[in-house]
C-alpha cells in the first residue's frame, strides 16, 4: 500500500479484524469465559402464571437433588434495591431486582433459581420445585383495555407523545383524496444468535461479570444499583457479542441472579438463558395498533397526516416506542398530527428492538402512502418526490442533509422501476403473480457522549482501550480505520481493545449511534496524540515548532513532517515517558438541536405470489441508502443487508404470539418464531451514496445499523399489493390474508 493510500483508511472495505477469531472459535463470548475457578451452572425457573402471587414454594426436593449447590427463591434471595428505583439513572441503570418478593409480574418471571455442578443437574432440579399461586386477573392486551390508555411520560425516539402541526381535522376534512386505515404490527423478539448470558465471579467484595451487553457503563450502574454496590466495584467484560438488536441494551434477570448466587456460593456462576427463557426473560417489542389518516389533493400533494399508536407498556418499566415519530419528518403536508397511547400491562419487559419507532412506523406509514398514491393515480416513486419537504415539516428545522430524492431516483433506475400508478394483479410469470413495491426509509441520527483513550508506543503501535462493544457490527475494524486515518499510519499498527468497563467509558452500541459517537471520540484522541507528539518534539528540535499538526504522519516508529523525520523513541527519551497517551471526550454538537438529522433510504421489492397457494416469495430487494460518509464499505454493506433481512421478517415472518388469556408467549423457539433464513432471502442489492454530513460529526458519518430495517418491510407489502390487490393491514402478511385476493384474480 502506498503512502497516499495509507492516509485514506476511512471508507475502505477492510475485512473485519475479528473475523479470523470468530470463524476459528477463538473469540470468547460471555458464556465461553473460563476463569481459574470452575463455574457452577444456574438455571432460571419461570412462573407458570401471568399475574398473581406465590402462595407457596417447596424447594426441598430440588435442594436434595444431585449436584445442586443452591436454590434461590423470594424466600431466601439476598436483599436488593427495589426494582426500578434510581429512576434518575435512566432506563438501563435502574435496579433490576430479581426474586424480589412473592409477586409474579409476568408470565415466565423467575420464581426460583437453581445452581448446580452441571446444567443437566440444575435443569432436573428445577422440575422438582413445586410452586403454588394465587392467580389474579392481569392485563395482557392493550386494545382490550383501551379505556385505561394514557399518554406516556416519555417516548423512545420522539420528544413528545402528542404533537400537532397545523390543524389536522380541518385540513383532512377538506382533502379530496383520503386514506384511513388501521394496522396491527406484532410482538417481536430480537432473537440474537447468542442468548443473554452471564458468568459472575466475586473476589474480595468486588464483582466481575462476563456478560453479553451492548452498553457496559449502563450495565455497570444497573448491576451496582441492584446489588447496592459502588459502580467502581463492578467490572463488566464483554469483548464479543453475538448480536444485540436492542435486547442487550440493559441487564436481565440472568445477570442479577448469577451475581447473587455467586456471592452466596463464593464460586463463579454461569447462566446462559435458554431460547425459551428469552421469550419471557429477554425484552420484546410489543404489539401496536396504528391508525393512519392521510389526505391529499387530486394532483398527489399531501395535505394532512395523522398517525395514532396504541401499545402496551410493561408495568413498572417505562418504555414506549415512538411508532408515529418519523411521520413529522417524512413528507411535506399542511397538517401533521401524531398521538401515542399506552396501557400498562402485566407482560414481560417491553424495550428497544431494532429501530424502535421507525421500524414499525415506516411499515404502516409507507404502506398508507402507497395506498394514497394509488388513489391519487400517481406513481408511488413520483408521489414521494412530489412531497419532498424543504424543511422538517413537524419542527420547521432545516435538514442537515436530505438526499431521499436521490435515493428514490437512483433506486428506481437501478431496479428498473416501471413508472405509473399502481394497478394490481397485471403481471404474471408462469404460476406466479408478480408485483413491485417501493418505500422510503428514514432513521434518526444521534450522537451520544463518548470518551476515548489512545496510547502510542515508541515502536509506533497505537492501542485503543474502550468500553465500546462490537455487537457484530464491525466496531473493532472501523475504529482502527478512523485512528489510522487520523494519524496517517498503517491500520495494522493499531490494536483496538473493547468491551471492558475498566477501559475508557464510551457510549456503547445502540440506536445506531455507536460508530459516529465513539468514532469521533477516537478521532479526537488521535488528534490529541498528534498535538502531543509535536509539542514534545518541538522541545528537542526547534525546527518543528510552528508546524501544523495536520502535516504530521507516522511511518512505522518514525514521525515525519514534510522531509524531516524523527524516531518516536528519541522524542520519548528526550522528554521522558514510555508512551504518548491521550484522552478525549465528545458530545453532540449544537447542530443536533438546531437541525433535523436523519439517514435515508429507498427500498424496492419484487415479489411473486403463487396463484394456487398464495405463497409469497420475495424475488428481489434493492436499497439505495445515504448515511453520510461510509466508514467501511464492507461492514456498512453487511449492516444494511442485515437490516433488509429484518425487513423481510417484519413483512412476512416474525411474530411472537401471546395467549391473551394468560399473558404467555406461545411460539418460544426458532422453529416457531420465524426469522428470515437463506431460503427466504433472495438477491439483495445494496447501494450507498457517497454522502458526507458535516453537521453530524467531524467524520461526516451517520447511523447505519438500523437504517436498513426501515422501509424494507413496507416495500415488500406494497409489492404484495401490486401482485395481488391485497392491502396489508396486519403484519406479518400471511398466506391466508392474501388468498382471497389471489382467488379473485385467478378465479
Ligand atoms: Mo438499538 S434497538 O437501540 O440496539
Amino acid at each position: 500500500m502506498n503512502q497516499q493510500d495509507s492516509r485514506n483508511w476511512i471508507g475502505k472495505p477492510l475485512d473485519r479484524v475479528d473475523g479470523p477469531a470468530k470463524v476459528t472459535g477463538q473469540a470468547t463470548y460471555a458464556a465461553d469465559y473460563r476463569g481459574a475457578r470452575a463455574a457452577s451452572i444456574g438455571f432460571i425457573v419461570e412462573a407458570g402464571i401471568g399475574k398473581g402471587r406465590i402462595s407457596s414454594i417447596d424447594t426441598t426436593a430440588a435442594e436434595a437433588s444431585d449436584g445442586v449447590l443452591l436454590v434461590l427463591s423470594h424466600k431466601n434471595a439476598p436483599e436488593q434495591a427495589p426494582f426500578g428505583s434510581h429512576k434518575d439513572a435512566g432506563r438501563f441503570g435502574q435496579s433490576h431486582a430479581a426474586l424480589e418478593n412473592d409477586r409474579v409480574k409476568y408470565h415466565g418471571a423467575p420464581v426460583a433459581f437453581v445452581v448446580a455442578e452441571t446444567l443437566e443437574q440444575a435443569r432436573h432440579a428445577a422440575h422438582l420445585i413445586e410452586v403454588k399461586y394465587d392467580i389474579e386477573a392481569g392485563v395482557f392486551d392493550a386494545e382490550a383495555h383501551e379505556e385505561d390508555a394514557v399518554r406516556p411520560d416519555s417516548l423512545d425516539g420522539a420528544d413528545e407523545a402528542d404533537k400537532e402541526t397545523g390543524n389536522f381535522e380541518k385540513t383532512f376534512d377538506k382533502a379530496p383524496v383520503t386514506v384511513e386505515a388501521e394496522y396491527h404490527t406484532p410482538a417481536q423478539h430480537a432473537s440474537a444468535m447468542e442468548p443473554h448470558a452471564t458468568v459472575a465471579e466475586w473476589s474480595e467484595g468486588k464483582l466481575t461479570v462476563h456478560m453479553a451487553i451492548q452498553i457496559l457503563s449502563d450495565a455497570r450502574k444497573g448491576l451496582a444499583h441492584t446489588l447496592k454496590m459502588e459502580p467502581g466495584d463492578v467490572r463488566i467484560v464483554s469483548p464479543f457479542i453475538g448480536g444485540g438488536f436492542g435486547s442487550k441494551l440493559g441487564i436481565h434477570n440472568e445477570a442479577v441472579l448469577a451475581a447473587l448466587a455467586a456471592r452466596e456460593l463464593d464460586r463463579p456462576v454461569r447462566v446462559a438463558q435458554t431460547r425459551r427463557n428469552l421469550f419471557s426473560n429477554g425484552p420484546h417489542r410489543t404489539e401496536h395498533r396504528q391508525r393512519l389518516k392521510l389526505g391529499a389533493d387530486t394532483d398527489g400533494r399531501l395535505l394532512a397526516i395523522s398517525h395514532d399508536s396504541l401499545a402496551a407498556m410493561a408495568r413498572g418499566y417505562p418504555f414506549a416506542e415512538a411508532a408515529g415519530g418519523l411521520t413529522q419528518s417524512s413528507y411535506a403536508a399542511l397538517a401533521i398530527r401524531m398521538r401515542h397511547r399506552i396501557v400498562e400491562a402485566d407482560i414481560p419487559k417491553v424495550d428497544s428492538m431494532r429501530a424502535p419507532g421507525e421500524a414499525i412506523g415506516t411499515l404502516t406509514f409507507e404502506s398508507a402512502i402507497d395506498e394514497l398514491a394509488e388513489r391519487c393515480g400517481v406513481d408511488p416513486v413520483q408521489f414521494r418526490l412530489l412531497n419532498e419537504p424543504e424543511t422538517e415539516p413537524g419542527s420547521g428545522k432545516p435538514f442537515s442533509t436530505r438526499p431521499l430524492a436521490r435515493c428514490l431516483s437512483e433506486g428506481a433506475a437501478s431496479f428498473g422501476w416501471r413508472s405509473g400508478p399502481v394497478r394490481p394483479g397485471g403481471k404474471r410469470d408462469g404460476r406466479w403473480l408478480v408485483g413491485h413495491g417501493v418505500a422510503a426509509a428514514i432513521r434518526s441520527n444521534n450522537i451520544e457522549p463518548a470518551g476515548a483513550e489512545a496510547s502510542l508506543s515508541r515502536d509506533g503501535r497505537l492501542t485503543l482501550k474502550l468500553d465500546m462493544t462490537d455487537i457484530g457490527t464491525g466496531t473493532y475494524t472501523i475504529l482502527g480505520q478512523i485512528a489510522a486515518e487520523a494519524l496517517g499510519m498503517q491500520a495494522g499498527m493499531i490494536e483496538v481493545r473493547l468491551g471492558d468497563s475498566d477501559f475508557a467509558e464510551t457510549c456503547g452500541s445502540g440506536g445506531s449511534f455507536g460508530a459516529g459517537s465513539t468514532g469521533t471520540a477516537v478521532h479526537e484522541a488521535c488528534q490529541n496524540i498528534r498535538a502531543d507528539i509535536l509539542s514534545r518534539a518541538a522541545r528537542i528540535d526547534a525546527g518543528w515548532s510552528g508546524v501544523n499538526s495536520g502535516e504530521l504522519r507516522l511511518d512505522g516508529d518514525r514521525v515525519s513532517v514534510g522531509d524531516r523525520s524523527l524516531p518516536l523513541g528519541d522524542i520519548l527519551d528526550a522528554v521522558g515517558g514510555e508512551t504518548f497517551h491521550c484522552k478525549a471526550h465528545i458530545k453532540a454538537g449544537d447542530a443536533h438541536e438546531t437541525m433535523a438529522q436523519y439517514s435515508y433510504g429507498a427500498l424496492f421489492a419484487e415479489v411473486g405470489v403463487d396463484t394456487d397457494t398464495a405463497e409469497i416469495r420475495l424475488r428481489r430487494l434493492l436499497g439505495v441508502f445515504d448515511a453520510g460518509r461510509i466508514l467501511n464499505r464492507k461492514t456498512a454493506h453487511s449492516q444494511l443487508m442485515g437490516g433488509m433481512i429484518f425487513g423481510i421478517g417484519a413483512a412476512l415472518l416474525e411474530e411472537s404470539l401471546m395467549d391473551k388469556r394468560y399473558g404467555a408467549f406461545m411460539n418460544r423457539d426458532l422453529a416457531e418464531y420465524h426469522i428470515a433464513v437463506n431460503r427466504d432471502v433472495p438477491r439483495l442489492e445494496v447501494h450507498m451514496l457517497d454522502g458526507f454530513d458535516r453537521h453530524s460529526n467531524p467524520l461526516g458519518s451517520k447511523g447505519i445499523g438500523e437504517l436498513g430495517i426501515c422501509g424494507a418491510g413496507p416495500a415488500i407489502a406494497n409489492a404484495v399489493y401490486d401482485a395481488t390487490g391485497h392491502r396489508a393491514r396486519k403484519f406479518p402478511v400471511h398466506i391466508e390474508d392474501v388468498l382471497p385476493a389471489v382467488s379473485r384474480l385467478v378465479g
Side-chain angles (χ1 to χ4, degrees):
M1 195 164 291
N2 64 37
Q3 290 290 328
Q4 191 52 38
D5 281 340
S6 73
R7 280 181 166 254
N8 294 292
W9 289 101
I10 294 181
K12 276 193 197 306
L14 294 195
D15 291 346
R16 278 160 201 267
V17 294
D18 50 333
K22 283 186 170 169
V23 297
T24 56
Q26 304 292 304
T28 48
Y29 293 81
D32 296 331
Y33 170 73
R34 296 291 180 274
R37 292 190 294 163
S40 48
I41 312 298
F43 187 81
I44 297 171
V45 185
E46 299 189 342
I49 64 163
K51 186 185 185 182
R53 49 177 290 279
I54 299 165
S55 54
S56 73
I57 179 162
D58 183 352
T59 56
T60 46
E63 279 156 9
S65 182
D66 273 357
V68 170
L69 303 165
L70 177 70
V71 180
L72 287 179
S73 71
H74 71 277
K75 289 181 155 174
N76 62 345
E79 199 197 331
Q80 302 152 73
F83 184 95
S85 52
H86 303 100
K87 292 225 168 15
D88 54 334
R91 198 157 97 237
F92 308 121
Q94 296 178 29
S95 166
H96 201 285
L99 303 175
E100 191 178 19
N101 52 39
D102 63 355
R103 305 291 317 167
V104 173
K105 293 199 287 189
Y106 57 89
H107 207 287
V111 292
F113 183 62
V114 183
V115 185
E117 294 290 348
T118 70
L119 175 64
E120 291 74 14
Q121 290 168 337
R123 200 164 184 157
H124 173 71
H127 291 285
L128 303 175
I129 294 175
E130 276 190 51
V131 191
K132 293 204 172 69
Y133 303 98
D134 288 334
I135 300 175
E136 296 167 16
V139 174
F140 307 123
D141 183 351
E143 255 192 292
H145 293 85
E146 192 174 358
E147 71 278 7
D148 298 324
V150 295
R151 188 169 59 195
D153 294 335
S154 68
L155 266 186
D156 193 65
D159 296 336
E160 299 151 90
D162 290 12
K163 185 168 175 174
E164 181 163 359
T165 312
N167 184 322
F168 171 76
E169 289 298 345
K170 243 172 145 172
T171 316
F172 181 75
D173 283 347
K174 288 197 201 124
V177 188
T178 60
V179 167
E180 288 187 57
E182 181 175 296
Y183 298 87
H184 287 88
T185 54
Q188 293 180 329
H189 282 79
S191 302
M193 203 187 297
E194 180 201 23
H196 296 68
T198 302
V199 184
E201 201 167 13
W202 290 82
S203 171
E204 292 167 13
K206 297 194 179 187
L207 172 66
T208 300
V209 290
H210 295 255
M211 175 167 38
I213 192 87
Q214 293 176 223
I215 305 179
L216 270 61
S217 56
D218 280 347
R220 173 188 237 178
K221 282 179 214 144
L223 260 184
H225 282 159
T226 309
L227 302 171
K228 300 183 160 184
M229 298 170 65
E230 288 303 318
D233 290 337
V234 178
R235 179 177 167 218
I236 315 268
V237 185
S238 195
F240 296 103
I241 297 150
F245 317 129
S247 75
K248 291 170 183 162
L249 285 166
I251 58 170
H252 297 291
N253 288 319
E254 102 284 340
V256 174
L257 292 168
L260 291 174
R263 192 171 58 189
E264 293 295 296
L265 290 169
D266 191 23
R267 183 175 161 185
V269 172
R270 177 162 70 242
V271 193
Q273 290 203 38
T274 63
R275 187 59 62 184
R276 287 183 70 79
N277 283 150
L278 292 173
F279 281 81
S280 35
N281 286 297
H284 72 287
R285 160 177 277 146
T286 188
E287 284 173 46
H288 283 72
R289 185 196 70 197
Q290 298 179 52
R291 286 183 174 152
L292 279 151
K293 290 187 188 182
L294 306 178
D297 69 19
T298 49
D299 299 334
R301 276 183 206 281
L302 264 166
L303 301 170
I305 303 171
S306 155
H307 196 156
D308 282 11
S309 155
L310 175 72
M313 191 192 93
R315 206 180 291 284
Y317 187 80
F319 171 85
E321 194 168 335
L326 64 103
T327 302
Q328 58 134 5
S329 316
S330 295
Y331 302 110
L334 297 175
I336 302 176
R337 186 179 74 185
M338 66 166 175
R339 196 160 53 191
H340 295 87
R341 290 292 177 270
I342 47 139
V343 174
E344 278 206 279
D346 306 291
I347 58 175
K349 192 197 282 178
V350 177
D351 213 325
S352 289
M353 181 177 141
R354 305 190 203 145
E358 285 93 337
I360 56 170
T362 46
L363 195 56
T364 60
F365 181 58
E366 286 289 321
S367 296
I369 287 286
D370 200 70
E371 197 163 342
L372 187 64
E374 183 197 11
R375 292 209 183 155
C376 293
V378 176
D379 169 76
V381 173
Q382 198 52 39
F383 184 91
R384 288 169 170 85
L385 293 173
L386 258 179
N387 289 291
E388 265 292 282
E390 292 287 319
T391 55
E392 183 173 49
S395 69
K397 289 180 186 176
F399 289 106
S400 61
T401 67
R402 175 83 189 184
L404 177 60
R406 223 186 116 197
C407 295
L408 284 161
S409 312
E410 293 194 12
S414 307
F415 184 79
W417 181 259
R418 298 163 280 87
S419 35
V422 175
R423 290 208 182 77
K427 296 156 290 291
R428 286 285 285 265
D429 175 12
R431 58 185 289 118
W432 299 93
L433 294 161
V434 177
H436 287 178
V438 61
I442 298 185
R443 169 73 193 167
S444 55
N445 176 54
N446 298 302
I447 291 289
E448 290 292 321
E453 234 174 294
S455 57
L456 180 69
S457 67
R458 59 176 58 228
D459 61 354
R461 301 196 163 272
L462 185 83
T463 307
L464 298 168
K465 289 186 181 178
L466 312 166
D467 82 350
M468 184 59 189
T469 48
D470 187 330
I471 58 176
T473 42
T475 314
Y476 278 106
T477 314
I478 56 155
L479 293 181
Q481 288 177 264
I482 290 165
E485 180 147 328
L487 286 169
M489 63 189 289
Q490 294 298 322
M493 296 293 278
I494 296 171
E495 185 191 12
V496 181
R497 297 185 58 192
L498 303 179
D500 190 326
S501 61
D502 281 352
F503 299 161
E505 183 172 328
T506 68
C507 57
S509 301
S512 303
F513 52 65
S517 309
T518 299
T520 299
V522 164
H523 177 79
E524 293 275 330
C526 292
Q527 296 299 345
N528 294 343
I529 283 198
R530 269 181 185 281
D532 187 42
I533 293 171
L534 263 191
S535 75
R536 296 216 223 175
R539 277 186 252 157
I540 55 166
D541 175 356
W544 279 22
S545 61
V547 163
N548 177 356
S549 75
E551 295 163 26
L552 180 150
R553 200 171 60 240
L554 285 169
D555 205 357
D557 60 356
R558 299 179 76 83
V559 54
S560 41
V561 177
D563 53 8
R564 281 169 294 174
S565 84
L566 207 57
L568 287 165
D570 286 9
I571 304 173
L572 287 169
D573 286 343
V575 299
E578 271 313 296
T579 57
F580 301 92
H581 183 95
C582 286
K583 295 183 183 183
H585 196 270
I586 65 100
K587 58 185 175 42
D590 293 342
H592 284 267
E593 273 304 312
T594 58
M595 304 189 110
Q597 300 202 11
Y598 297 89
S599 52
Y600 300 91
L603 282 296
F604 293 81
E606 178 179 301
V607 300
V609 180
D610 188 293
T611 41
D612 290 326
T613 65
E615 177 190 356
I616 304 163
R617 301 301 312 186
L618 180 63
R619 292 154 65 113
R620 288 199 285 149
L621 185 60
L622 176 147
V624 177
F625 299 99
D626 183 282
R629 189 172 177 201
I630 300 301
L631 299 171
N632 175 321
R633 296 194 78 81
K634 190 172 197 171
T635 55
H637 185 277
S638 295
Q639 286 282 284
L640 291 164
M641 219 164 51
M644 286 159 74
I645 293 169
F646 289 158
I648 300 172
L652 302 175
L653 297 162
E654 288 192 50
E655 59 184 326
S656 304
L657 295 164
M658 181 182 274
D659 185 329
K660 299 279 176 69
R661 294 170 300 173
Y662 309 113
F665 283 114
M666 300 181 288
N667 52 335
R668 295 165 52 143
D669 56 45
L670 296 183
E672 298 203 28
Y673 182 89
H674 294 159
I675 290 173
V677 296
N678 279 341
R679 188 68 183 87
D680 301 306
V681 182
R683 186 159 60 92
L684 301 180
E685 248 186 272
V686 177
H687 300 261
M688 291 170 273
L689 301 184
D690 287 315
F692 189 101
D693 190 338
R694 67 192 175 89
H695 302 291
S696 171
N697 62 49
L699 306 169
S701 70
K702 291 203 266 203
I704 204 164
E706 290 159 301
L707 175 60
I709 305 168
C710 308
I716 295 166
N718 293 338
V720 169
Y721 176 76
D722 186 42
T724 64
H726 168 76
R727 278 287 177 204
R729 290 284 188 264
K730 189 168 74 57
F731 290 94
V733 181
H734 286 182
I735 285 175
E736 61 268 28
D737 304 330
V738 185
L739 209 44
V742 172
S743 303
R744 276 195 298 277
L745 274 177
V746 298

